[in-house]
Amino acid sequence: YVVNVERNGKIIYTWKGNQRNTHIGLYDLQTKQNEHLYMFEKDLHIISCSVNNERTLLAVSFRQYTEEETASQLLQSVSRYLTLLIEIHPINNVRVLKAVDSCVQVQFLYPVEDRNASTESRLLLVSEDKYIEQFDIRVAEEEHKVVIQKSGQLPRARVADDLIWAQWDMMEQRLFYIVPKESKSTLRCVQFYPDENFNSVMESHLDISVNDTQLKLVNFGYDYCQDQDASNSLNLQVFTSKAGGLCVCYSLASDAPDEIMYSINFLHKGYNKTFTVSLERTESHQLKEVAFMNLDYYVAAYLPGQFLHLLNIQHPDLLCYSLFLTGEDARIDTLQNCSIRSPLMSTVLDCRAGSLYGVSISDSALLQLLQKSKQDSERLAALHCALLYFQHTEDLEMQIIRWISENLSTCHSFDPIQEFIIASLYCRMCPETQNLDKLLPYTSLLDWIGVVPGVICATDIISLPVLEFQNSRGFWEKLNSNLESVKYAEPHLHYHNNVLRREWRNLSEEHFSWSSCSFGDFCLFTKQREERRTTAYLRNIFENAKKYVLVSFVFALSYFVQEQARLVPLFEEEDYQQQLLMGLMVAQLKDHLMRHLQYVGRKKIDQIVLDYVANLLNLIHRIMKEVWRRYQLHSCVFCFDERGSAGEFAVFHIMSRILEAANGMCMPLPPGFHTLHLCLGVRCLPLHTLLHYIDNGVLQLTETCVRKLLKDLDDTEQNEKLKFSIVKRLPEALGQKVRQFWNHPINANLIARKYVKLLLEKLENRQCSRPIPERFSGPVEFLPLNYLTNILAEIENQGVHPYEKQDHVNARFVEEMALKHTMTLLGLRYS
């Protein structure tokens, strides 16, 4: 049988020899080698066993006689239980530590790793009489033997009294124990340090009724017989996570025979969740206690043959981030036994079989679950598990993106593109800086009101634990940070785009030709807005808009030097609308981080924000690259002489959903995205649908695409209709740039109309004085036209010329176009 697992992962086990001798061995998981430690020349029931780090001392607790044997020796003063300390380097002296009628568990403390061999060992003794004490043992080397120095009683110190439950955390050398009170029990924690000291570091009140009179121990060795006897005792375990999570998991009694209840206190969050699970089968021989396992990011609640729940520790607020599996999905083939303990993180011990297993979530099984799931809650939980639990690999990302592209219309309660981008950004950014995980969003959802079939969850607020230390590092520092974030209203710590959305809406309502202006016009526009809205906050926004223009250029540069850069034909073009949105987002995010990460410094925060924006653009490009590769598209999407394929239409649909997701989160898109989207739209959509998409803002007219469309398409009747529909929808600044590439009477007539309208608007707005045309005989005897051209000429003479870059557009051009149009309408030839 396995009797203990030490901090270094070595397993202590016992077996019976041919002559019923009792042997104790040590198995090293790293070297896969066994080592014989000691042998008793009689058949003993080993209760507890531990070896020190140097493997020079062995502590053993065993039962000398059974109850029947003890009853037959009433006249003899013989203790039922014996606890020995044995010198085993080499085997030498044996010292009796305890000879009592109550059971005793032993556990050596282990120093920090990479520490030289010590001349002192410390041993914990846990008595069934509900106390724990520590023995200090000094050893010395004499004639190649390691022996205990003192011959008298060993120094000891009392660690805890009156406890009803205790758990040993061997990796972090922590002792959790519960002291029962009248109304509420108290959970306490003692931390043991390498300098041979120990301190009480935490206390938390638990609303748990403890009626057991027998002490229940967890991870103080494994006694199979005792586990069978205590099958109905308190089933409670404490789990910690690397991110500072602290959970208390315990089973509850249920009045209904077809229900199982268990509860988890998320002490680092300040609330408790109680789960009532309806069982699929209610055979009495299958109804056993829930086994809890620590998977770091998750706590697993497992009832063989019934369910496997993976409960999110880091983000337990919404049930949709936890997996609730039943049937074959909940089956763990090697763990069809309820005598399960979790001595180490991601490790379980089957006490009945005496086997130790590593436990982890299978990425392949998770992807299969993601693909076959029919419920949004299960899809979302599996998606987040794949993105946040596993390290990012290109293959895993590719499979997730493929699943997203196939299920855009099947997810009703969440947007998979938004969740992919937000969760991936969270996973990539949070390791950079401590406490960043509390400030960046990990989901696009604010709430989730769905239900999990067969599971009822009740949430209660509980008191936060009290920490009793100062300037601690590691886990306790992270736990303290988590508790502080709860005290200061944790949901408000996560960055949200509400303010960004409001500012962006205000700017978008300004009638400005974002996609068509030059960079100089853009800066002039921002300067004018600064003059109108002179707050320091808005000035900062526009500075960011100018400064972080470089982000998109950096993205484009890194994109175009990649080996497969031309896979997705994103043009390196300036999109000032997206750059201004980028500046707004940068200002908001930087302001949010500065409020909570002041100790990091402005330079570091600037770098975090820059990385966040660059990673955002790269993630969107990553989606497009995988979709482009999947449908085997190429750069022919910029040829307008043929209709798009089914693959192009699928990519167009996915890009529309990317645009929708980005707009929903108020996030910028990579440069060239709108051009590629518009080109696919021209190839794939009928004209009326294309124009509907443009009028409703789904497709944005860009200079690159419109110029190519006007130059490449010939002037057939259908193409003329398309060109005219596009041209008349162009913003003025963009129209001035691209109309010259379409040499057609319709376009010339449109230019003339626009020119007249602009000049007369300037006259109406009194930007120039009203001219008094002189009487003169014009070349055309048509007085209204003569009058109009004379007014236009006088306005031009005052220095007003809206089409400065097109010198041929003037009053004479307007006159010529008017005559041509009139002659065409009359069916006459113009000469």
Side-chain angles (χ1 to χ4, degrees):
Y1 296 109
V2 172
V3 292
N4 203 359
V5 180
E6 298 290 6
R7 184 177 188 270
N8 51 20
K10 295 182 179 180
I11 302 170
I12 301 177
Y13 60 96
T14 67
W15 76 96
K16 307 296 182 181
N18 294 332
Q19 300 178 355
R20 305 302 295 171
N21 297 331
T22 303
H23 298 262
I24 300 176
L26 186 70
Y27 177 71
D28 192 327
L29 287 172
Q30 301 296 325
T31 63
K32 310 296 183 184
Q33 293 182 347
N34 291 282
E35 179 182 351
H36 187 270
L37 296 180
Y38 196 74
M39 181 190 71
F40 291 98
E41 295 179 350
K42 61 182 299 187
D43 186 358
L44 295 177
H45 174 200
I46 303 293
I47 295 172
S48 179
C49 188
S50 184
V51 64
N52 68 345
N53 187 52
E54 292 77 19
R55 300 203 305 282
T56 57
L57 299 174
L58 178 69
V60 183
S61 174
F62 57 87
R63 185 163 57 189
Q64 296 194 83
Y65 303 102
T66 63
E67 293 182 2
E68 293 76 9
E69 291 172 334
T70 304
S72 66
Q73 301 181 21
L74 289 177
L75 299 178
Q76 301 180 21
S77 178
V78 179
S79 302
R80 286 182 61 195
Y81 298 93
L82 201 61
T83 303
L84 304 179
L85 183 61
I86 307 170
E87 300 169 356
I88 59 171
H89 190 73
I91 296 174
N92 193 23
N93 299 322
V94 177
R95 177 175 292 200
V96 177
L97 294 180
K98 292 282 185 181
V100 292
D101 289 333
S102 55
C103 183
V104 174
Q105 305 280 341
V106 293
Q107 177 62 58
F108 273 105
L109 300 181
Y110 272 62
V112 293
E113 296 178 359
D114 302 327
R115 180 177 174 181
N116 295 329
S118 174
T119 59
E120 184 172 353
S121 294
R122 291 177 292 158
L123 177 69
L124 292 182
L125 262 68
V126 186
S127 173
E128 195 177 27
D129 293 332
K130 302 180 181 179
Y131 67 86
I132 301 176
E133 56 186 0
Q134 174 185 294
F135 285 79
D136 293 330
I137 308 163
R138 293 189 177 275
V139 297
E141 189 170 346
E142 297 178 0
E143 299 178 357
H144 305 290
K145 295 180 181 180
V146 175
V147 298
I148 300 172
Q149 282 187 342
K150 294 187 178 181
S151 57
Q153 287 190 345
L154 297 174
R156 70 181 72 182
R158 190 61 65 98
V159 177
D161 282 301
D162 302 324
L163 62 154
I164 195 66
W165 174 93
Q167 175 180 314
W168 177 243
D169 183 346
M170 65 191 71
M171 289 303 297
E172 302 299 332
Q173 301 289 279
R174 291 189 287 252
L175 171 69
F176 293 97
Y177 66 96
I178 294 177
V179 177
K181 300 291 184 180
E182 292 182 0
S183 57
K184 291 186 178 181
S185 301
T186 301
L187 173 68
R188 293 173 180 164
C189 181
V190 174
Q191 178 73 62
F192 294 87
Y193 300 100
D195 61 0
E196 303 173 6
N197 291 325
F198 63 87
N199 289 320
S200 177
V201 293
M202 187 208 71
E203 183 174 300
S204 179
H205 296 294
L206 302 178
D207 190 12
I208 300 175
S209 176
V210 181
N211 299 320
D212 295 339
T213 57
Q214 182 181 357
L215 176 65
K216 177 66 181 290
L217 300 178
V218 179
N219 294 343
F220 278 100
Y222 307 96
D223 183 2
Y224 170 65
C225 295
Q226 188 183 47
D227 285 341
Q228 280 191 319
D229 297 338
S231 59
N232 294 323
S233 62
L234 180 64
N235 177 26
L236 184 146
Q237 283 185 268
V238 174
F239 291 138
T240 61
S241 70
K242 296 175 183 177
L246 178 61
C247 300
V248 179
C249 312
Y250 54 95
S251 298
L252 296 171
S254 175
D255 296 331
D258 59 345
E259 289 182 349
I260 288 286
M261 295 179 64
Y262 68 90
S263 189
I264 298 183
N265 285 10
F266 298 97
L267 296 182
H268 60 293
K269 295 291 186 180
Y271 52 79
N272 160 278
K273 288 185 179 290
T274 300
F275 299 91
T276 303
V277 187
S278 299
L279 301 179
E280 295 182 349
R281 297 179 299 277
T282 57
E283 293 87 344
S284 58
H285 67 277
Q286 290 185 341
L287 299 184
K288 300 177 181 178
E289 67 179 21
V290 177
F292 299 105
M293 295 174 278
N294 186 3
L295 303 181
D296 185 34
Y297 197 86
Y298 292 92
V299 163
Y302 179 50
L303 187 62
Q306 296 287 351
F307 62 80
L308 171 64
H309 296 172
L310 299 177
L311 304 160
N312 197 315
I313 293 178
Q314 194 161 345
H315 308 295
D317 45 341
L318 302 181
L319 286 186
C320 56
Y321 299 125
S322 298
L323 279 164
F324 298 89
L325 307 177
T326 58
E328 285 300 313
D329 294 331
R331 180 180 177 84
I332 304 178
D333 291 333
T334 55
L335 295 179
Q336 294 301 307
N337 192 308
C338 275
S339 296
I340 297 172
R341 297 290 179 268
S342 186
L344 300 169
M345 189 177 293
S346 300
T347 305
V348 295
L349 174 69
D350 188 339
C351 302
R352 179 174 298 174
S355 301
L356 189 71
Y357 302 98
V359 179
S360 62
I361 300 174
S362 167
D363 55 352
S364 59
L366 186 68
L367 288 173
Q368 291 177 9
L369 177 68
L370 183 63
Q371 291 166 359
K372 71 178 185 180
S373 294
K374 303 300 181 185
Q375 302 170 21
D376 274 5
S377 60
E378 202 166 77
R379 290 173 178 148
L380 186 54
L383 180 61
H384 263 256
C385 182
L387 293 172
L388 298 181
Y389 179 79
F390 293 102
Q391 295 293 328
H392 274 275
T393 63
E394 187 170 342
D395 182 62
L396 181 62
E397 257 191 5
M398 179 187 69
Q399 294 187 66
I400 293 174
I401 293 172
R402 174 165 296 186
W403 175 85
I404 290 174
S405 65
E406 294 172 348
N407 291 271
L408 287 172
S409 301
T410 60
C411 300
H412 305 292
S413 61
F414 71 100
D415 186 325
I417 295 177
Q418 289 185 351
E419 290 301 307
F420 173 78
I421 293 174
I422 292 290
S424 298
L425 283 172
Y426 183 86
C427 184
R428 293 183 182 190
M429 297 299 302
C430 288
E432 285 191 11
T433 305
Q434 186 178 357
N435 292 327
L436 198 56
D437 59 319
K438 302 175 183 62
L439 302 176
L440 294 180
Y442 63 90
T443 177
S444 62
L445 299 180
L446 298 178
D447 196 7
W448 188 77
I449 57 175
V451 296
V452 178
V455 178
I456 299 175
C457 177
T459 303
D460 298 298
I461 304 298
I462 60 175
S463 59
L464 294 175
V466 178
L467 303 183
E468 304 169 348
F469 59 82
Q470 292 181 345
N471 302 323
S472 185
R473 295 292 179 184
F475 168 80
W476 297 112
E477 181 184 20
K478 294 178 181 178
L479 175 60
N480 184 57
S481 176
N482 288 335
L483 297 177
E484 290 298 316
S485 69
V486 173
K487 294 176 184 177
Y488 293 107
E490 182 185 28
H492 301 291
L493 292 178
H494 288 282
Y495 168 75
H496 197 266
N497 57 28
N498 286 337
V499 178
L500 171 62
R501 189 183 305 279
R502 184 172 62 249
E503 285 294 327
W504 179 238
R505 188 182 299 115
N506 293 337
L507 288 175
S508 298
E509 288 174 356
E510 296 280 343
H511 185 68
F512 183 77
S513 305
W514 306 101
S515 59
S516 56
C517 66
S518 66
F519 187 69
D521 296 333
F522 172 75
C523 295
L524 177 62
F525 168 74
T526 59
K527 183 178 180 181
Q528 291 171 349
R529 285 192 59 85
E530 285 180 32
E531 292 173 354
R532 292 199 302 268
R533 302 167 68 181
T534 58
T535 64
Y537 175 69
L538 280 183
R539 283 199 301 271
N540 182 43
I541 286 177
F542 291 113
E543 286 300 319
N544 283 322
K546 300 169 190 175
K547 176 181 177 182
Y548 280 84
V549 153
L550 297 175
V551 173
S552 59
F553 292 160
V554 169
F555 162 79
L557 181 61
S558 64
Y559 164 66
F560 279 99
V561 299
Q562 291 174 358
E563 180 181 354
Q564 296 182 343
R566 296 294 177 179
L567 183 63
V568 183
L570 286 178
F571 280 83
E572 187 177 359
E573 60 184 11
E574 297 175 346
D575 188 337
Y576 297 108
Q577 181 187 27
Q578 296 301 311
Q579 289 165 7
L580 182 58
L581 175 57
M582 198 182 303
L584 285 167
M585 189 179 78
V586 163
Q588 291 289 322
L589 184 56
K590 189 189 300 185
D591 183 59
H592 178 75
L593 296 182
M594 283 297 295
R595 284 197 300 269
H596 304 287
L597 291 179
Q598 296 179 359
Y599 58 89
V600 170
R602 182 177 295 274
K603 186 176 181 180
K604 176 64 175 176
I605 288 178
D606 284 345
Q607 186 60 47
I608 292 172
V609 174
L610 179 66
D611 291 344
Y612 192 85
V613 175
N615 276 311
L616 167 63
L617 298 178
N618 283 323
L619 279 169
I620 296 175
H621 169 250
R622 180 84 168 95
I623 297 174
M624 294 177 60
K625 186 173 76 173
E626 292 302 333
V627 171
W628 208 265
R629 181 188 290 124
R630 180 189 172 192
Y631 289 100
Q632 299 179 346
L633 301 190
H634 44 82
S635 58
C636 71
V637 296
F638 287 99
C639 301
F640 299 114
D641 54 354
E642 61 183 32
R643 302 302 296 170
S645 63
E648 290 177 31
F649 185 83
V651 173
F652 172 78
H653 175 65
I654 293 171
M655 290 188 68
S656 299
R657 292 300 299 268
I658 293 174
L659 177 64
E660 180 184 350
N663 289 339
M665 296 184 295
C666 216
M667 285 185 170
L669 291 163
F673 180 92
H674 288 297
T675 294
L676 181 58
H677 192 208
L678 179 60
C679 290
L680 285 171
V682 172
R683 286 175 60 89
C684 297
L685 299 177
L687 180 59
H688 68 278
T689 307
L690 175 69
L691 299 179
H692 178 73
Y693 275 39
I694 294 173
D695 293 338
N696 286 277
V698 178
L699 291 173
Q700 294 189 21
L701 299 175
T702 65
E703 179 182 348
T704 304
C705 184
V706 174
R707 180 190 299 174
K708 187 169 182 61
L709 185 145
L710 295 178
K711 291 174 64 177
D712 292 358
L713 285 182
D714 55 14
D715 290 330
T716 63
E717 182 178 352
Q718 183 177 0
N719 289 344
E720 282 184 0
K721 189 175 181 180
L722 169 63
K723 289 181 179 181
F724 180 71
S725 300
I726 295 293
V727 166
K728 75 176 185 178
R729 285 170 168 80
L730 292 175
E732 184 58 38
L734 178 58
Q736 290 185 32
K737 288 184 177 182
V738 301
R739 287 194 191 102
Q740 58 184 310
F741 297 103
W742 187 24
N743 186 16
H744 192 275
I746 294 178
N747 187 43
N749 184 39
L750 194 60
I751 293 174
R753 288 172 181 267
K754 292 272 188 181
Y755 184 76
V756 171
K757 180 182 178 182
L758 287 173
L759 285 183
L760 294 181
E761 282 178 349
K762 291 182 179 294
L763 180 61
E764 183 180 3
N765 295 333
R766 298 185 179 182
Q767 295 181 16
C768 57
S769 59
R770 183 175 183 85
I772 302 175
E774 300 179 0
R775 289 180 172 271
F776 67 94
S777 58
V780 181
E781 293 300 328
F782 186 54
L783 296 180
L785 180 59
N786 290 345
Y787 185 80
L788 176 63
T789 54
N790 288 339
I791 289 179
L792 296 180
E794 290 295 329
I795 295 175
E796 289 175 357
N797 291 335
Q798 296 181 32
V800 179
H801 201 304
Y803 285 10
E804 294 180 356
K805 297 180 180 179
Q806 301 180 41
D807 295 334
H808 69 284
V809 180
N810 51 29
R812 190 59 59 191
F813 173 80
V814 172
E815 180 184 50
E816 183 177 356
M817 288 304 103
L819 291 174
K820 282 185 178 181
H821 186 63
T822 303
M823 298 295 285
T824 301
L825 292 176
L826 295 175
L828 303 175
R829 181 184 297 274
Y830 178 80
S831 59

